[in-house]
Amino acid sequence: ESQNVPLRECPLCLQEVPADQFPKIISCSHSACITCLRQYLAMEISESRVNITCAKCNELMHPTGLFHLLNIIHKIHCLDLI
């Protein structure tokens, strides 16, 4: 790796992931790597969950926070396609 980005352990997948891959979750203090959040939100949305909660503490995610996370996930996905 050419960059010296510190690593953090994701509490969901338990992998060491670059710290810049942990978007802020507005509703609570928990965090997870972008890959886990993308999978978690995709599952919740595909199961037609109306109230999406934090994967760790079940704190209800505010719609603005969800929009923010989905926006980040979309931007990263678009960059992966380049």
Side-chain angles (χ1 to χ4, degrees):
E1 291 181 26
S2 60
Q3 295 178 331
N4 236 354
V5 178
L7 298 178
R8 282 179 61 186
E9 182 179 286
C10 175
L12 301 180
C13 67
L14 305 178
Q15 298 288 318
E16 292 288 320
V17 179
D20 61 358
Q21 295 294 307
F22 286 79
K24 180 160 177 52
I25 297 175
I26 296 171
S27 59
C28 66
S29 62
H30 293 110
S31 62
C33 72
I34 193 73
T35 302
C36 286
L37 284 174
R38 179 175 27 203
Q39 291 172 350
Y40 175 71
L41 291 175
M43 180 182 66
E44 294 293 292
I45 292 167
S46 70
E47 292 178 359
S48 300
R49 300 272 162 96
V50 175
N51 297 316
I52 299 178
T53 61
C54 168
K56 290 291 286 180
C57 71
N58 292 324
E59 180 73 28
L60 188 62
M61 288 189 182
H62 190 275
T64 303
L66 279 172
F67 179 77
H68 174 73
L69 285 175
L70 291 170
N71 219 359
I72 291 170
I73 289 168
H74 177 72
K75 286 178 184 174
I76 288 173
H77 178 71
C78 288
L79 288 175
D80 288 344
L81 295 176
I82 295 175

